[in-house]
């Protein structure tokens, strides 16, 4: 036995397990995506069990590509993921830098900041859409109502009354509508995932070298320059981690989309898979393969972009 | 230019007074070295001069101008840190250029200055590398380069060589000394190292618990230490202190004799003892002598060819003209 054989042999069960873990589902998805396979069919009962004799070639892919929601779902997936990433990274950096200073009540503030992360996605969605974004009963409706009655009151006020009487009545935005449901999802997921970004950025900020900062101060760097040239590059790797992990998670958003609008005006690939999977497993699997490809493209693209901008 | 005056400068961290009010003047072009035991406030003092640490009270003047409230970057001082504090995400070129870039200097001029600094520090081949890909000595050069390009009126060094190995240290020590000769700029240098202090300084400032024990040229401090603390701190190996009867013979509470000022002999001498450890360095030999009845251990330095061993009886004779006398409060008197 050569020196390498024994360690490899010892590792192999774990590696095999992982391979099986990954390859079996992927293989099954691939297999289903090339055959006709539906859950229920009165006319063609032979399609209801997976078998090679139902081979359809690229037919499922063609079907998915030509279905009316596919390109919309791809675009919308990317839109939602990128918006959430953008918002969480920016907010995460801002908050992390802010609470990295020592101040009284620091511990409590940090715990409170992290807490949204422990809320279950479905609960998060229900809370947001009913209690905050609801145009009548939610904070959204109450706030707009409050502004309206304030403006109403000011219309009769002396001196400034004429100004306010030109104001229209405000309408609360309904976030279940076709045009806005994606924004509702972006908001609630951003709220939930910003703590994750804060947590990671905060640990990274604490490992920042203070002497480098002092050297920069002596070199005449302003607070902004210190942030731009030292802190931000220092955060490069954590940002990449946050982006990558979140991209993977948010490409598969489902609960929020279901709860906000049942996919009305706001589908992503997993939601489309869910819709197909009501009956057409073949099409659902083909969509799944597209989703895997999309996830890889997005990840590679995002990492390149971050690498370029931050690492000078 | 670069005359630095500290006027009743003090520093408290919370309730702890790290530096009681202290006066010190460092002349233009002088190479001043701060030495003292660990925790005595050397770094704190240096950081106060740099402006990185606020003063609790007192004033700092540079070239006659009160800079106590002036921000660090406007004081015209450059600092080199023990950990180098290079910017890890920037190439060597960008590191050196950083202060100039912050000044808003035009790019062409920056390039010229960086090239010149790199030239003088032998860094030309490394300009495009990141700090992580450099050796300790090269990193230290980059840190110095970053300080030089600003053309400061004074340099502050906080133990810049203590992360380097012995051979490199000697080399860098010479380079910094040469740099000082060439530029004739004020330099303040903090170190633990005897040899660095003695060889580089125009003026040594010995600190203990934030208090200046003595200020003077290296040889002044060696020849005429003001008290027992300075006498023990300057010189290596340490001065031997002898109390009691032997000291009384010289009319002192304590006498101090440097190891190099004691003659050794196998047959006769003023004092007699037993060698416990002998260290042979080739050029010199150090003997740690016990059972003299004078002090726990007497350390002696003799020529490299002198060969006493463990357990040998040895006779010691101090050179009378260089015996230091101290009174009961530890002050030296003639
Ligand atoms: N930020 C701080 N808060 C509280 N105490 C401090 C702070 N910085 C330094 N001190 C204390 O001030 C004293 C002087 O510290 P300083 O770093 O100046 O020592 P030093 O002479 O440079 O020591 P060394 O040779 O080990 O570097 C020490 O007792 C240290 O504990
Ligand atoms: Mg120090």
């Amino acid at each position: 036995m050569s020196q390498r054989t024994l360690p490899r042999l010892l590792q192999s069960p774990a590696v095999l397990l992982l391979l099986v873990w990954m390859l079996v589902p992927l293989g099954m998805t691939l297999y289903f995506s090339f055959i006709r396979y539906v859950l229920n069919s009165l006319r063609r009962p032979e399609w209801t069990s997976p078998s090679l004799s139902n081979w359809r070639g690229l037919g499922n892919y063609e079907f998915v590509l030509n279905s009316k929601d596919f390109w919309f779902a791809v675009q919308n997936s990317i839109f939602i993921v990128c918006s959430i990433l953008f918002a969480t990274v920016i907010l995460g950096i801002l908050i992390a830098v802010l609470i990295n200073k020592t101040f009284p009540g620091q511990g409590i503030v940090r715990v409170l900041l992290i807490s949204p992360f422990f809320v279950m996605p479905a609960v998060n969605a229900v809370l947001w859409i009913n209690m905050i974004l609801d145009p009548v009963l939610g904070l959204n409706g109450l706030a707009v109502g409050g502004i309206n009655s304030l403006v109403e009151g000011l219309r009769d006020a002396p001196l400034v009354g004429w100004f306010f009487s030109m104001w229209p009545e405000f309408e609360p935005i309904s976030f279940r509508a076709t045009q806005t449901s994606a924004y509702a999802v972006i908001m609630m997921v951003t709220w939930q995932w910003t703590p994750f970004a804060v947590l990671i950025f905060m640990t990274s900020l604490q490992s920042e070298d203070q002497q480098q900062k002092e050297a920069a101060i002596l070199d005449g760097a302003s607070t902004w320059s210190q942030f731009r040239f030292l802190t931000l590059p220092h955060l490069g790797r954590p940002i990449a981690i946050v982006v990558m992990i979140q991209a993977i998670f948010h490409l598969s958003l489902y609960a929020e989309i279901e709860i906000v609008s049942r996919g009305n005006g706001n589908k992503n690939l997993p939601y489309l898979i869910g819709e197909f999977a009501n009956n057409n497993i073949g099409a659902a699997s083909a969509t799944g393969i597209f989703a895997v490809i999309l996830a890889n493209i997005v990840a590679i693209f995002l990492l390149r972009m971050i690498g370029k901008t931050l690492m000078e | 230019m670069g005359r630095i005056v500290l006027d009743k400068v003090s520093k408290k961290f919370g309730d702890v007074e790290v530096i009681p009010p202290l006066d010190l003047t460092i002349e233009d072009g002088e190479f001043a070295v701060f030495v003292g035991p660990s925790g005595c406030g050397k770094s704190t003092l240096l950081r106060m001069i740099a402006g990185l640490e606020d003063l609790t009270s007192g004033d700092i003047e540079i070239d006659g101008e009160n800079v106590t409230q002036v921000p660090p970057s406007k004081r015209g001082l450059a600092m080199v840190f023990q950990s180098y504090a290079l910017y890890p995400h920037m190439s060597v070129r960008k590191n050196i250029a950083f202060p100039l870039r912050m000044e808003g200097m035009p790019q062409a001029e920056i390039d010229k200055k960086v090239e010149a600094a790199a030239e003088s520090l032998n860094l030309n081949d490394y300009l495009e590398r990141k700090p992580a890909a450099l050796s300790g000595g090269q990193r230290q050069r980059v840190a110095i380069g970053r300080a030089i390009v600003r053309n400061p009126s004074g340099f502050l060094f906080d133990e810049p060589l203590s992360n380097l190995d012995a051979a490199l240290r000697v080399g860098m020590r010479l380079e910094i000394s040469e740099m000082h000769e060439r530029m004739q700029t004020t330099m303040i240098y903090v170190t633990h190292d005897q040899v660095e202090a003695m060889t580089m300084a125009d003026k040594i400032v010995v600190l203990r618990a934030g208090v200046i024990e003595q200020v003077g040229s290296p040889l002044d401090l060696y020849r005429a230490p003001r008290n027992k603390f300075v006498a023990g701190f300057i010189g290596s190996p340490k001065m031997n202190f002898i109390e009691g009867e032997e000291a009384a013979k010289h009319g002192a509470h304590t006498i101090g004799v440097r190891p190099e000022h004691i003659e050794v002999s196998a047959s006769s001498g003023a004092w007699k003892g037993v060698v416990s450890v002998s260290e042979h360095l080739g050029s010199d030999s150090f003997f740690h002598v016990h059972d003299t009845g004078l002090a726990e251990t007497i350390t002696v330095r003799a020529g490299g060819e002198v060969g006493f061993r463990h357990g040998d009886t040895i006779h010691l004779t101090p050179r009378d003209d260089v015996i230091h006398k101290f009174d009961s409060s530890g002050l030296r008197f003639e």
Side-chain angles (χ1 to χ4, degrees):
Chain A
M1 246 195 292
S2 88
Q3 274 212 319
R4 291 262 181 90
T5 320
L6 183 64
R8 291 223 171 122
L9 219 61
L10 292 172
Q11 286 170 355
S12 57
V15 174
L16 270 177
L17 186 72
L18 281 175
L19 272 180
V20 169
W21 195 277
M22 271 172 40
L23 287 181
V24 167
L26 187 65
M28 281 172 68
T29 311
L30 267 172
Y31 171 52
F32 292 160
S33 74
F34 287 111
I35 59 170
R36 290 186 190 275
Y37 178 25
V38 294
L39 295 178
N40 219 327
S41 176
L42 290 177
R43 268 194 314 136
R44 307 293 295 266
E46 70 272 20
W47 287 355
T48 53
S49 60
S51 136
L52 269 179
S53 56
N54 294 334
W55 187 258
R56 199 187 179 187
L58 293 171
N60 281 324
Y61 291 91
E62 219 169 294
F63 172 75
V64 169
L65 280 173
N66 289 327
S67 76
K68 68 174 170 43
D69 281 337
F70 177 75
W71 287 110
F72 169 69
V74 170
Q75 270 178 24
N76 205 43
S77 295
I78 294 174
F79 171 67
I80 291 179
V81 169
C82 290
S83 307
I84 294 170
L85 287 180
F86 188 74
T88 46
V89 167
I90 303 258
L91 282 174
I93 291 176
L94 283 180
I95 296 173
V97 167
L98 207 66
I99 63 173
N100 195 35
K101 308 241 155 61
T102 40
F103 58 89
Q106 201 173 22
I108 295 174
V109 168
R110 286 185 184 172
V111 171
L112 285 178
L113 267 169
I114 308 300
S115 55
F117 200 52
F118 300 117
V119 178
M120 275 176 285
V123 175
N124 177 31
V126 170
L127 288 178
W128 266 83
I129 201 66
N130 291 320
M131 294 182 64
I132 300 180
L133 297 179
D134 191 277
V136 181
L137 300 171
L139 204 59
N140 179 13
L142 297 180
V144 173
I147 293 173
N148 278 336
S149 57
L150 189 71
V151 171
E152 186 74 25
L154 284 171
R155 281 196 182 134
D156 300 331
L159 287 175
V160 291
W162 61 272
F163 177 66
F164 285 101
S165 45
M166 294 197 306
W167 283 31
E169 178 123 341
F170 294 103
E171 287 280 341
I173 304 165
S174 166
F175 280 96
R176 292 182 207 264
T178 313
Q179 302 85 349
T180 49
S181 48
Y183 298 107
V185 170
I186 290 168
M187 271 190 265
M188 56 186 67
V189 179
T190 299
W191 179 78
Q192 179 156 46
W193 279 78
T194 299
F196 171 72
V198 171
L199 198 67
I200 293 205
F201 296 155
M202 212 165 62
T203 39
S204 172
L205 283 180
Q206 274 165 7
S207 71
E208 203 182 359
D209 187 303
Q210 287 311 307
Q211 284 206 333
Q212 283 170 23
K213 284 253 161 106
E214 290 179 345
I217 291 174
L218 278 165
D219 281 347
S222 61
T223 314
W224 165 251
S225 297
Q226 288 171 45
F227 176 75
R228 169 67 191 84
F229 294 111
L230 294 181
T231 308
L232 216 47
H234 180 74
L235 287 177
R237 196 158 297 171
I239 290 176
I241 291 171
V242 165
V243 164
M244 211 157 53
I245 292 180
Q246 288 206 74
I248 292 163
F249 270 81
H250 302 334
L251 275 172
S252 60
L253 279 180
Y254 191 92
E256 289 88 346
I257 291 177
E258 169 73 15
I259 287 166
V260 169
S261 69
R262 302 198 171 267
N264 173 22
N266 180 26
K267 287 189 190 16
N268 61 359
L269 284 179
Y271 201 84
L272 201 63
I273 296 173
E275 284 187 347
F276 282 132
N278 281 334
N279 195 24
N280 190 344
I281 302 295
S285 301
T287 317
I289 298 299
F290 280 125
V292 170
I293 294 169
L294 180 73
N296 279 296
I297 292 175
V298 169
I300 291 169
F301 178 75
L302 285 173
L303 288 184
R304 280 273 161 78
M305 208 172 66
I306 291 166
K308 278 242 170 66
T309 46
L310 290 185
M311 303 300 183
E312 284 210 289
Chain B
M1 291 298 281
R3 183 172 191 267
I4 301 172
V5 180
L6 310 188
D7 181 20
K8 300 199 184 51
V9 161
S10 78
K11 179 72 189 177
K12 278 185 187 170
F13 287 114
D15 287 338
V16 186
E17 188 167 60
V18 175
I19 297 184
L22 163 158
D23 293 309
L24 179 66
T25 303
I26 293 153
E27 298 297 339
D28 182 26
E30 202 164 43
F31 198 119
V33 172
F34 293 175
V35 292
S38 191
C40 69
K42 306 181 293 288
S43 299
T44 306
L45 196 58
L46 198 70
R47 291 163 54 82
M48 282 157 68
I49 296 172
L52 294 172
E53 209 74 75
D54 290 333
L55 310 196
T56 305
S57 69
D59 287 302
I60 296 180
E61 273 178 25
I62 299 177
D63 293 333
E65 190 191 337
N66 189 331
V67 296
T68 316
Q69 301 301 331
V70 174
S73 60
K74 300 276 186 294
R75 295 190 181 188
L77 301 175
M79 186 154 169
V80 176
F81 294 85
Q82 180 178 356
S83 66
Y84 318 132
L86 298 179
Y87 310 129
H89 306 280
M90 300 181 200
S91 62
V92 168
R93 178 189 297 280
K94 291 211 162 135
N95 261 285
I96 299 179
F98 191 73
L100 306 178
R101 192 168 159 198
M102 290 298 111
E103 267 174 35
M105 189 179 277
Q107 190 60 43
E109 210 170 320
I110 292 183
D111 286 342
K112 223 164 58 194
K113 291 210 169 190
V114 171
E115 298 285 345
E119 183 75 42
S120 71
L121 290 163
N122 276 327
L123 283 169
N124 294 53
D125 296 342
Y126 312 108
L127 276 177
E128 305 311 327
R129 285 205 206 167
K130 293 270 170 69
L134 297 178
S135 72
Q138 290 161 346
R139 284 181 210 184
Q140 195 52 269
R141 284 212 189 87
V142 177
I144 293 174
R146 194 172 62 185
I148 291 179
V149 283
R150 292 179 52 197
N151 206 3
S153 56
F155 288 91
L156 310 175
F157 295 91
D158 193 353
E159 306 196 31
L161 307 186
S162 54
N163 285 348
L164 304 180
D165 69 49
L168 249 179
R169 220 192 267 194
V170 175
M172 284 304 292
R173 196 174 83 207
L174 289 173
E175 274 186 46
I176 294 177
S177 289
E178 253 168 45
M179 193 173 108
H180 179 245
E181 292 301 329
R182 204 172 54 235
M183 302 172 64
Q184 291 298 326
T185 316
T186 311
M187 294 190 179
I188 305 180
Y189 190 104
V190 168
T191 183
H192 270 117
D193 190 302
Q194 281 280 328
V195 184
E196 282 175 25
M198 293 300 283
T199 54
M200 300 172 89
D202 293 325
K203 171 148 117 190
I204 296 183
V205 179
V206 183
L207 290 161
R208 172 165 62 166
V211 178
I212 296 183
E213 293 289 327
Q214 190 170 5
V215 179
S217 76
L219 287 182
D220 282 348
L221 262 58
Y222 178 80
R223 289 189 185 129
R226 202 171 66 84
N227 55 27
K228 263 173 79 178
F229 177 79
V230 177
F233 202 80
I234 300 289
S236 169
K238 262 182 76 163
M239 182 185 279
N240 298 297
F241 293 110
I242 299 162
E243 293 179 3
E245 210 179 308
E246 188 67 27
K249 275 194 219 159
H250 291 85
H253 177 267
T254 310
I255 56 169
V257 189
R258 294 197 183 277
E260 53 270 41
H261 295 156
I262 297 177
E263 311 275 345
V264 297
S265 153
S267 50
S268 66
W271 306 328
K272 185 175 154 211
V274 179
V275 175
S276 73
V277 178
S278 63
E279 300 170 313
H280 298 281
L281 304 184
S283 60
D284 299 296
S285 308
F286 299 140
F287 303 112
H288 301 270
V289 181
H290 283 189
D291 299 330
T292 51
L294 305 164
E296 179 79 19
T297 311
I298 301 271
T299 310
V300 189
R301 174 177 180 171
E305 67 288 347
V306 182
F308 289 96
R309 290 162 169 282
H310 172 77
D312 288 355
T313 301
I314 187 170
H315 294 268
L316 311 173
T317 314
R319 274 174 53 193
D320 265 334
D321 52 331
V322 282
I323 289 181
H324 301 269
K325 290 176 258 184
F326 302 96
D327 65 19
S328 56
S329 62
L331 283 178
R332 180 177 176 276
F333 64 92
E334 290 294 339

